[in-house]
Amino acid sequence: MIRFEGVNKWFGKLHVLQNIDLEVAPGEVVVICGPSGSGKSTLIRCINRLEKFQEGKLFVDGSPLHDHKLNLTKLRADIGFVFQQFHLYPHMTALQNVTLAPMQVRKMSRKAAEELGRKTLKRVGLGDKIDSHPAQLSGGQQQRVAIARGLAMNPKIMLFDEPTSALDPEMIGEVLDVMTQLAGEGMTMCVVTHEMGFARKVAHRVIFMDEGQLVESGPPDRFFDHAQTHRAQQFLSKILSH
């Protein structure tokens, strides 16, 4: 579904992604963790070309992202992206935020899009909030609207960039519950997160990054209980001891 082949990216002189080789299978849930500045967010932002890379090849569902003639609108229509901040339109209701892309990109009728939007908001536990504006919703509810917005496009892949980092602790669980549900339904997911409980419970594979490199990759039990590299062991000792 996703394949990186020797991908390199620089921001000026900073080498943020170094010779990335990675494959994600259809239906696989991959959690990407590591210290700040390790390249995690840049990695997943390359998957829908929010970030361009300078060297290597990247294929998503067979489409070559290294081909600069690629139709990015078509590519992004098949990839849901959930950001740290919710990026909802404040003047639109939850339903309007969710139906905008299906109407504009998929060219759905308003009636069909609204029917889909209601179903999708209900799917994330917000069936009673369709007429609410973002300011009337909690952070957790806004993030679930953002997830519903991605799901309404019937994506092949969902990308999550630290989706709970801007939330109060009591709201984190409601977002992770929706993500756990999606994983159980077989959605292909790449998740950048520090929620290690989620990673242990839901991920098929955990990837640890440091200084732009894929340092370690493996199933959750092995990664958390028997990390192979000193750097991963060092990272885990700090985040799991609190």
Side-chain angles (χ1 to χ4, degrees), residues 86 126 138-145 167 171-172 174-175:
F86 321 124
L126 293 175
S138 70
Q141 289 170 335
Q142 289 184 62
Q143 192 61 294
R144 283 188 281 155
V145 173
L167 301 178
M171 297 175 185
I172 290 172
E174 61 192 54
V175 173

Side-chain angles (χ1 to χ4, degrees), residues 155-226:
K156 297 174 181 177
I157 299 165
M158 286 290 287
L159 307 175
F160 296 84
D161 187 6
E162 299 196 28
T164 59
S165 65
L167 301 178
D168 292 334
E170 63 185 11
M171 297 175 185
I172 290 172
E174 61 192 54
V175 173
L176 294 180
D177 285 346
V178 171
M179 294 169 63
T180 301
Q181 174 189 327
L182 290 179
E185 293 170 359
M187 177 65 73
T188 305
M189 296 166 59
C190 293
V191 184
V192 173
T193 186
H194 292 296
E195 299 294 337
M196 296 297 100
F198 170 83
R200 187 185 282 272
K201 177 182 175 184
V202 177
H204 296 110
R205 186 162 36 127
V206 178
I207 290 170
F208 175 70
M209 291 188 69
D210 189 38
E211 297 183 345
Q213 297 179 322
L214 298 188
V215 176
E216 187 163 340
S217 174
D221 287 349
R222 192 185 78 190
F223 177 73
F224 288 112
D225 299 333
H226 306 286

